[in-house]
Structures are given as structure tokens and as C-alpha cells.
Amino acid sequence: MTMILSTGDLRDLARRRIPRAIFDYAEGGSYDERTLRRNTDDLDALSFRQRVMVDVSDISLATTLVGLPASMPLGIAPTGLAGFFHADGEILGARAAAAFGIPFCLSTMSICSIEDVRAATTQPFWFQQYLMRDRGFNQELIERAIAAQCSALVLTLDLQVLGERRRDPRNGLSIPPRLSLRNAFDLVTKPAWIKTVLLGKRRTFGNLAGRIGGSSGISRLSEWTASQFDASANWRDVDWVRSRWPGKLILKGVLDAEDARLALATGADAIVVSNHGGRQLDGAPSSIAVLPEVVRAIDGRCEVLFDGGIRSGQDIAKALALGARGALIGKSFLYALAAGGQAGVTRALQILREELRVTLALTGTSRIDDVGPHILR
Ligand SMILES: Cc1cc2nc3c(=O)[nH]c(=O)nc-3n(C[C@H](O)[C@H](O)[C@H](O)COP(=O)(O)O)c2cc1C
């Protein structure tokens, strides 16, 4: 892993290690991918104010995120199917995050179940869920997250209906999976992935196994899930979750100041400014473009986390400068996982930490709490 110097290097390696359909599932956004591109373009467009001759010999990145100490202001975002990027992907991601002292968020749509991750790790993790038509299943997931002593529940608000990700059907990543000559040829060139993931122990949605008539087939479970997105979900349903979950509640997918105030009114402990990594409303602004107005609307009354386009420690510093308490990584995590399993994720976290540390130093900042808009031009 020594010549891996950036998260881009991990992405290049991931591309060589996993089937094209899986790589594109992470890489792609919805429709024409405008919002996907804006996430990174708008971060890139920000410049730092370089400061010199400030004593930065003692830099600390330590902070707290949603009530728990974190070694740096970063967490791993929930991503469905992480276990398809590497065998036992969610377990390995949770372990890497725990060893680093940062939060890991498990998605409902994971391959490893809540119980698998609980049994394989010692640190508490966050658990993410959507509001489903079958509220009994939401209730069951809440109970399982309580039993697993998850330290926070992340409720994702921006997936009442599914934005179309066009790369998936084009690659045959559909339900049921379609085997074309192209993806068959691509698969043959990835024998290690076939052996460890396709023929591995865990190959379906771990949290849903046995949900529909005892079936654990991924096609049937995917169909069931697709039918479960609840277009009627509204703020009263968020109150319903709040009343059942006794721990920290994080509302993910806020992209508007008015929604931020409504989220705050539910008693949430934190919100995540997010456009789902450009995978939902194409034409929505980048997450970084709306961060300042959401931060103003919240006015310190709950934590504001950020995701969308974080590829470097410099990006984390920019999000912090515009008022986020911490940032989450989706794609950068999945590429690292595909590139090298737990070691890959650890390498990504080392790179991001070091980039953040140097960025703080060169903007004349020693403490993470001192990062503010003044570090940007
Ligand atoms: C492949 C993939 C799967 C995702 N699955 C979920 C999910 O199950 N639940 C969720 O709330 N967000 C999901 N997201 C969105 C991420 O949590 C996060 O908001 C997004 O990836 C951040 O942008 P970034 O990828 O540029 O870091 C997913 C993102 C990707 C790339």
C-alpha cells in the first residue's frame, strides 16, 4: 500500500479489482449526473488562505461527533452493498474505523447484518435506515439496533422515491441481474472477486434475510426493497422514529434551510447536509453550496455533518470552514475497501488525516475548533 498516495490511487486500484458493474454502481449518479459532478467541482472551486509564520508545531484533529470522541472530524457514510466491494466489507470498514477512532455507519442495505457487525467489532457503530412502507420492519430494525448498542440511528430522508442511476441497467446491474456478453467477459477478468465475493459466505442483504417468506435470494429481496420506499413518508413519521429510538438521532439528506429547521424541530441530535452523493435529485445543488445556509438556519442548535464529494483532507477542511462539525465519506470508503479491504480503508483514513493535518498547518490553524471561514479566500 505504500505507493498509494491519494484516494484517487485507491479508486484506480478498485477499478482494476472489482467488476465494472460494481465499480459503476458506486461511481455513478442519477440521470445526467449533474449534481454528482457539482459536488466535487464546487469543492474544488474553493481556495484556501495560506498563512505563514504561525506556530503550528502542535496540531490536534481530535473532536467529538454526535456525543462521542473522534480522532478526527470524519466518519464513514452508510453505503448499501459494501460487502460486494470486498468480502465482509461492512465488518472490515467498521474495524478500520474503530481502530482509527472514528464513526462507521452501517446501511440497512448492507451485506453483513447488524448482528454480524456487532459480533465482529468492539466499538459502537451507527445504523442507518429508511422509512419503509412496512413500518413493522422499521420497528424491528430499531429494536435490533438497540440490541446491538448502536450509538446513533441515522434516518435517511431523501429516498422516498428512487432517482434513476442509468449506469446500473446499462451494466446489467438490475433485478434480476442480466448477464450480457460484456459483463460476462468483465467478470472472467476478476477471478479473485468471483472467488471471495460471488462465491463467498455472505451474498445477500444481511438485514433482510428471511424477511419475505424465508427467502434470502438477492433478486427477491431487492424487489421487495424497491417496493418498500414510502412516497408518503413525512415529518410525522420522523417523530414516530424519534419516539421509538432512545439514543442519538441523525437526520440525513437535508439540502435546504427550511428543511433544516423542520429537522431541528423533531429533536434530532444532528443533521447531515447531503444530496446522497448525487444519486437522487439531479439538478440539486452541491452539498457544499448549501452548507452555509443550513449552518445559519441551525445556528448551533444541533450538529451539522456534511457529505458529498469528499476525496481529500483538503475537502474536509473546506466543509469544516463552512460550518460542518464533521464530514462523511461514501465513495472514497468504497474504493478503498475494494482496493484493499481493511488495509485499504485504513490507508484512505491515513491519507485523509495527513492531508487534513497539513492543510490546517498551512492555513495557520492548530485546533480543529479554530477552523472557520477565515481559512478560505
Ligand atoms: C454505492 C453507494 C451506496 C449508498 N447507499 C446508501 C444507503 O444505503 N443509505 C444512505 O443513507 N446513503 C447511501 N449512500 C449515500 C452515502 O451515504 C453518502 O451520502 C454519499 O456517498 C456521499 O457522497 P460521496 O460518495 O461523494 O462521499 C450511498 C452512496 C453510494 C456511493
Side-chain angles (χ1 to χ4, degrees), residues 184-203:
F185 178 75
D186 178 48
L187 268 185
V188 176
T189 63
K190 311 285 176 346
W193 184 87
I194 294 183
K195 185 161 168 263
T196 56
V197 179
L198 201 58
L199 305 174
K201 184 169 132 204
R202 298 187 174 97
R203 282 175 294 172

Side-chain angles (χ1 to χ4, degrees), residues 25-28 36 39-40 77-81 85 107-110 128-130 154 156 158-159 165 252 272 274-279 307-311 328-332 334:
Y25 162 67
E27 177 92 344
L36 171 76
N39 275 347
T40 44
T79 54
L81 299 184
F85 288 76
S107 162
T108 291
M109 305 311 295
S110 55
Q128 175 268 331
Q129 63 170 246
Y130 299 106
V154 176
T156 299
D158 60 1
L159 217 123
R165 293 124 198 203
K252 174 171 180 282
V272 187
S274 171
N275 53 32
H276 218 100
R279 300 162 76 78
D307 76 25
I310 299 283
R311 307 286 182 269
L328 307 178
I329 46 169
K331 286 181 263 295
S332 298
L334 291 172

